[in-house]
Amino acid sequence: DRAREGMPLFGTCAGMIVLAERVLDGEPLLSLMDVTVRRNAYGRQVDSFEADVDVDGIDHPVRGVFIRAPWIEDVGPGVEVLSEHEGRPIVLRQANLMAASFHPELVGETALHRYFLSLVG
């Protein structure tokens, strides 16, 4: 309820799934962000990888860790795609919500979190 009233939320990896309105291989949980996600779409645990990605609004590549990461199948008209990897959206913003398919915090990357705070602060 608080997020629907404007409280900012940032979901990474599974958090993206929690925010999604549509989950192809599961049930939606909070149904807050107008996206369709596919769980574990980048593969199993052994398929995990790291990548540097460009994110709109951040002046350097952001290092992300993709661990059984979801990917976005579809975004609604009110969702802004801030970054893509291999043609798929991986960082999104919709009003007070932001989501990423990966974990930046696992490698000490703070730029994405700082960017989120600048949007809501």
Side-chain angles (χ1 to χ4, degrees):
D1 290 338
R2 291 186 64 202
R4 289 184 206 293
E5 293 169 3
M7 182 181 82
L9 289 178
F10 178 30
T12 60
C13 198
M16 175 185 273
I17 298 166
V18 170
L19 293 176
E21 286 184 7
R22 297 168 300 282
V23 180
L24 293 180
D25 45 359
E27 293 297 318
L29 296 170
L30 296 181
S31 296
L32 294 170
M33 187 173 264
D34 188 9
V35 297
T36 303
V37 300
R38 181 176 303 278
R39 298 175 63 220
N40 303 325
Y42 281 100
R44 300 172 354 143
Q45 187 79 22
V46 297
D47 300 314
S48 299
F49 65 96
E50 294 183 24
D52 290 326
V53 297
D54 293 323
V55 179
D56 291 350
I58 299 177
D59 63 359
H60 60 62
V62 172
R63 188 75 171 169
V65 181
F66 293 75
I67 302 172
R68 294 176 32 227
W71 72 32
I72 299 297
E73 293 280 341
D74 181 58
V75 299
V79 178
E80 180 183 5
V81 176
L82 300 176
S83 181
E84 293 184 351
H85 179 70
E86 297 181 349
R88 293 202 177 269
I90 55 169
V91 181
L92 309 164
R93 179 177 180 212
Q94 177 183 317
N96 57 310
L97 308 172
M98 201 162 106
S101 292
F102 56 88
H103 292 277
E105 74 282 357
L106 293 179
V107 290
E109 176 64 67
T110 60
L112 203 55
H113 293 88
R114 286 192 316 267
Y115 178 72
F116 174 68
L117 291 173
S118 77
L119 295 174
V120 302

